[in-house]
Amino acid sequence: MNENHIQSEQTTNNNNSPVTTVDVTNPKLPNFLLSVRLKYVKLGYHYLISNAFYILLIPVLFAVTSSFKLTDLTNLFNHLLQFHLLSSTLFAALLIFLTTFYFTTRPRKVFLLDFACYKPDPSLICTRETFMDRSQRVGIFTEDNLAFQQKILERSGLGQKTYFPEALLRVPPNPCMSEARKEAETVMFGAIDAVLEKTGVKPKDIGILVVNCSLFNPTPSLSAMIVNKYKLRGNVLSYNLGGMGCSAGLISIDLAKQLLQVQANSYALVVSTENITLNWYLGNDRSMLLSNCIFRMGGAAVLLSNRSSDRRHSKYQLIHTVRTHKGSDDNAFNCVYQREDNNDNNKIGVSLSKNLMAIAGEALKTNITTLGPLVLPMSEQLLFFMTLVARKVFKAKKIKPYIPDFKLAFEHFCIHAGGRAVLDEIEKNLDLSEWHMEPSRMTLNRFGNTSSSSLWYELAYSEAKGRIKRGDRTWQIAFGSGFKCNSAVWRALRSIDPSKEKKTNPWIDEIHEFPVQVPRVSLVSSSSESR
């Protein structure tokens, strides 16, 4: 999420649909304590109840089998074999059929072998001073808007070591198609090289490829660029996702998971990135200037497998993915909108509406109330459900809604580092500690908003700190245009040794410098979300 919240007049896009930019009067997410919609809770409980048969069947089978001794089972088998040969044969055939049916229809487990985050060359570091110098040299921004960007940078939560593409650091800048391709190749190939080297997987073994990048969609596609570079096999299932915002990384993970359910013994490579070169806004609409100040260069490559033999080599197992979409609502659909500005130059940018934070809050509430029954302890679910029934059924308005403690379900939180204000509000609404928020805040400080790849920089931070222990559960959550909120839940299959992560972890060489103190100042109010 872009973070800064400003006041501006209503504008109109080319299709005459009004797009109102961010408003200072409502900079915060809606308080989750005030309302929880029952239909989303029902949806979450539906997931739980749909698997109740398997949950209830286990104790029944245990009770039945524990009542028999081995000699009893042997005598029963001999008796059936002697007097009921046909029945025994039919019973054995049925047992074999049911066993085969169970093992062939149960969901395949999805493992994360490893992932890599791209760390650009130090020559591409863009300090706040460098950013302002390049913005001033362009000669397009007004003095007021240069001062506005300066304030955003100073209070955004970004540090002095974020990265900008080479084409935009030049004097004069050179944003063109060839430079955009160069940025995409540098980031994607750098991350893929690292993860392939670390895992030892050969490109020819990859059966599924999913690439996501919202605003840069060349022809041939980014996925085709990877197929060509690594000479992937001819029957690789390749997908290129565009225009899906900062939550597209988790959409890609979910898509890969679905494909791995039908492609036995396969590897899936997921690549998440955003392209800055052709998407630096060169106009004076303040709502579109926010992305200039927040978005930075970065990307990640994730290697998944459904091979049972890979479990012992893998870092994590994918437990849940939950996707929620608010796009059927017009306000949600239009709240993050790419369009031309209203100036004479008709420069393209991403406009942010005044109700963006409220929509983000609704999307988040939908997602967590769906995810809750899947991950929360029964005690938390009962407390939540009882207070909800008391308020909804018995109209006991004096009883405050119970917001479950998600710290009982997860040890680690990776919240999309899209903007400082959103991180502040999620920390408050979910009652998280500074320790839980540290990976997100430090990622925003060190790398800026790297769009859909930011979640992996955050997980890499936790690994570099030596925090990931076997059995730990990690919750990744991100927002995206449309409007979407998506989650993924991972369980660590082993403790992560930071000393063995140098090839794939961008934090290792400097992790001792973090966390750093990030002053909590409020800008012209903060809000907003990435594309």
Side-chain angles (χ1 to χ4, degrees):
M1 286 192 172
N2 292 342
E3 145 169 51
N4 305 294
H5 195 104
I6 61 172
Q7 185 174 20
S8 143
E9 298 179 353
Q10 189 178 67
T11 57
T12 305
N13 61 26
N14 283 354
N15 297 321
N16 294 320
S17 66
V19 180
T20 308
T21 54
V22 186
D23 178 28
V24 294
T25 59
N26 184 24
K28 297 182 179 181
L29 287 171
N31 193 328
F32 295 165
L33 292 174
L34 298 180
S35 66
V36 176
R37 294 189 179 180
L38 185 60
K39 66 178 181 179
Y40 297 130
V41 182
K42 288 181 178 178
L43 180 58
Y45 276 95
H46 169 72
Y47 283 116
L48 181 69
I49 294 171
S50 64
N51 294 304
F53 174 76
Y54 299 103
I55 297 172
L56 296 174
L57 186 61
I58 293 174
V60 172
L61 291 175
F62 178 79
V64 172
T65 55
S66 61
S67 64
F68 285 94
K69 295 181 180 179
L70 182 61
T71 55
D72 295 332
L73 293 175
T74 303
N75 292 334
L76 178 62
F77 178 77
N78 291 333
H79 177 76
L80 291 174
L81 188 64
Q82 182 177 359
F83 297 103
H84 303 284
L85 181 59
L86 178 60
S87 299
S88 301
T89 302
L90 292 175
F91 175 78
L94 179 62
L95 182 62
I96 293 172
F97 171 77
L98 291 177
T99 302
T100 304
F101 179 78
Y102 169 74
F103 282 104
T104 55
T105 58
R106 67 173 182 171
R108 290 189 172 94
K109 295 180 179 179
V110 176
F111 306 109
L112 189 158
L113 274 76
D114 213 324
F115 67 95
C117 299
Y118 178 70
K119 188 174 184 179
D121 188 84
S123 64
L124 299 180
I125 288 178
C126 182
T127 65
R128 289 191 288 268
E129 293 76 19
T130 301
F131 178 89
M132 290 308 303
D133 176 72
R134 299 304 186 270
S135 296
Q136 190 171 19
R137 286 173 179 265
V138 170
I140 291 175
F141 305 114
T142 65
E143 289 298 322
D144 286 345
N145 279 338
L146 286 171
F148 171 75
Q149 293 181 79
Q150 178 74 48
K151 289 181 180 179
I152 293 176
L153 288 171
E154 291 173 352
R155 307 178 189 185
S156 64
L158 272 71
Q160 290 283 59
K161 290 186 177 181
T162 59
Y163 299 95
F164 235 39
E166 181 182 354
L168 299 184
L169 289 175
R170 292 176 185 165
V171 181
N174 183 31
C176 61
M177 178 62 76
S178 61
E179 289 292 337
R181 285 182 178 275
K182 180 179 177 181
E183 179 193 348
E185 292 172 352
T186 301
V187 173
M188 294 191 307
F189 298 166
I192 295 172
D193 287 344
V195 77
L196 293 181
E197 181 182 359
K198 182 71 180 297
T199 60
V201 172
K202 298 178 181 178
K204 289 289 185 182
D205 294 332
I206 296 172
I208 299 167
L209 172 65
V210 184
V211 182
N212 67 269
C213 182
S214 286
L215 296 180
F216 181 57
N217 292 285
T219 300
S221 66
L222 298 178
S223 59
M225 290 165 59
I226 294 173
V227 172
N228 177 261
K229 164 70 175 179
Y230 294 94
K231 309 305 178 188
L232 302 187
R233 63 198 198 199
N235 64 344
V236 64
L237 301 178
S238 65
Y239 298 83
N240 198 95
L241 308 182
M244 304 196 77
C246 295
S247 66
L250 295 185
I251 295 175
S252 298
I253 292 293
D254 181 68
L255 174 58
K257 181 189 78 171
Q258 302 300 332
L259 294 169
L260 286 170
Q261 297 306 308
V262 295
Q263 297 290 323
N265 298 317
S266 294
Y267 289 114
L269 177 63
V270 175
V271 181
S272 296
T273 187
E274 190 54 82
N275 194 282
I276 307 299
T277 299
L278 284 181
N279 292 290
W280 194 30
Y281 172 63
L282 297 174
N284 282 287
D285 185 324
R286 286 194 175 185
S287 69
M288 297 181 178
L289 286 172
L290 301 178
S291 59
N292 283 9
C293 302
I294 302 297
F295 280 91
R296 293 296 184 267
M297 184 179 181
V302 183
L303 192 60
L304 304 174
S305 172
N306 61 7
R307 303 184 183 195
S308 56
S309 59
D310 282 328
R311 188 184 192 281
R312 61 192 180 94
H313 303 296
S314 300
K315 284 184 172 181
Y316 305 94
Q317 181 180 340
L318 181 59
I319 306 302
H320 301 293
T321 53
V322 174
R323 294 171 55 182
T324 49
H325 205 304
K326 310 291 289 185
S328 59
D329 179 79
D330 289 342
N331 289 328
F333 176 77
N334 289 308
C335 70
V336 182
Y337 205 94
Q338 186 181 22
R339 61 179 178 84
E340 285 118 347
D341 60 23
N342 287 337
N343 301 323
D344 294 335
N345 293 328
N346 286 328
K347 297 296 183 181
I348 294 176
V350 177
S351 176
L352 309 173
S353 71
K354 67 177 183 179
N355 55 353
L356 178 55
M357 289 296 287
I359 291 169
E362 283 296 315
L364 176 62
K365 186 168 62 179
T366 303
N367 195 276
I368 65 175
T369 50
T370 304
L371 179 68
L374 297 173
V375 298
L376 287 168
M378 189 58 67
S379 59
E380 289 294 296
Q381 295 189 44
L382 288 175
L383 285 171
F384 175 71
F385 186 71
M386 288 167 56
T387 55
L388 186 65
V389 170
R391 286 176 55 83
K392 298 291 185 180
V393 178
F394 299 104
K395 308 299 181 182
K397 299 300 182 182
K398 292 183 179 180
I399 300 178
K400 293 183 178 181
Y402 181 75
I403 299 303
D405 186 358
F406 280 89
K407 297 189 295 295
L408 298 175
F410 306 109
E411 285 74 32
H412 310 284
F413 295 80
C414 295
I415 301 164
H416 169 52
R420 177 191 205 142
V422 172
L423 296 181
D424 290 344
E425 290 301 310
I426 292 179
E427 176 182 358
K428 181 178 70 175
N429 277 283
L430 296 183
D431 193 25
L432 302 179
S433 67
E434 290 186 6
W435 188 88
H436 290 116
M437 298 298 298
E438 187 179 308
S440 298
R441 294 193 186 280
M442 294 307 102
T443 295
L444 182 62
N445 178 272
R446 178 61 182 86
F447 293 97
N449 182 346
T450 60
S451 190
S452 57
S453 66
S454 69
L455 298 174
W456 300 106
Y457 286 90
E458 294 165 20
L459 185 55
Y461 180 91
S462 295
E463 291 187 352
K465 280 291 185 181
R467 295 181 177 182
I468 305 296
K469 307 300 180 185
R470 182 177 179 180
D472 282 1
R473 297 153 297 178
T474 299
W475 181 19
Q476 293 180 320
I477 186 164
F479 305 90
S481 57
F483 190 88
K484 301 175 287 293
C485 181
N486 302 314
S487 291
V489 178
W490 305 88
R491 184 174 66 241
L493 298 177
R494 55 184 170 89
S495 298
I496 306 300
D497 183 358
S499 64
K500 298 179 180 179
E501 300 301 311
K502 291 187 176 181
K503 293 181 179 180
T504 56
N505 195 305
W507 296 92
I508 289 298
D509 295 335
E510 52 188 287
I511 193 62
H512 59 280
E513 301 174 9
F514 294 90
V516 298
Q517 184 64 33
V518 180
R520 296 200 178 189
V521 274
S522 94
L523 181 56
V524 218
S525 70
S526 293
S527 116
S528 123
E529 202 264 336
S530 75
R531 342 192 223 279

